Amino acid sequence: MHSDCLFCKIARGELGTELVLETENFVAFRDINPQAPTHILVIPREHIASLDQLEPRHGEIMGEALLAIQTLAKQENLDQGYRVVVNTGSHGGQSVAHLHFHLLGGRSLQWPPG
Ligand code: 5GP
Ligand code: ZN
């Protein structure tokens, strides 16, 4: 638990952010600056700074994250597809140092990313 981490505060409900999904180990909420009609962030309740800090003990709950994303995609009617992004480190474009999965959908997305 990191008292000064923005996403830890959101996971603890301290900022009043509406959660669109809660599981034992994850919470999900809408991105404040959406890049697509659906733009949801899925984060572990545990403070993990980035994908690069993931440990073998996290392996089991990461499957839970992907299933939560699948559930959210159904809730959001993303039947034409969607994209899951984990920006990691400075070259990866990570701006918040708490692991998060971006779920993007609702429009056709370009590839390659910038
Ligand atoms: P990153 O750039 O680290 O991959 O993604 C961080 C995301 O968090 C960005 O898309 C940004 O818009 C979002 N974000 C930053 N601060 C807040 C906030 O206070 N509330 C919400 N809902 N999203 C935030
Ligand atoms: Zn955190």
Side-chain angles (χ1 to χ4, degrees), residues 3-4 7 11 13 27-28 42 64 67 72 77 97 99 106 109:
S3 54
D4 55 349
F7 284 1
V27 303
V42 178
E64 192 186 310
L67 291 169
L72 285 163
N77 299 311
L99 175 62
L109 298 161

Side-chain angles (χ1 to χ4, degrees), residues 17-105:
T17 306
E18 185 190 347
L19 301 180
V20 295
L21 189 83
E22 287 188 77
T23 71
E24 185 185 349
N25 295 302
F26 289 86
V27 303
F29 53 92
R30 293 190 193 280
D31 196 291
I32 203 168
N33 183 23
Q35 301 301 311
T38 291
H39 188 171
I40 291 172
L41 300 173
V42 178
I43 70 168
R45 292 183 188 273
E46 178 184 340
H47 181 85
I48 303 168
S50 82
L51 183 63
D52 212 40
Q53 266 68 53
L54 212 59
E55 298 170 14
R57 68 185 173 87
H58 296 122
E60 203 170 316
I61 67 165
M62 288 302 122
E64 192 186 310
L66 294 177
L67 291 169
I69 288 165
Q70 183 196 67
T71 299
L72 285 163
K74 287 194 175 79
Q75 276 181 23
E76 297 283 311
N77 299 311
L78 302 180
D79 44 293
Q80 293 185 85
Y82 50 89
R83 184 172 295 168
V84 179
V85 174
V86 184
N87 295 326
T88 306
S90 60
H91 274 194
Q94 183 177 6
S95 63
V96 176
H98 181 128
L99 175 62
H100 48 281
F101 296 82
H102 295 260
L103 168 59
L104 296 149

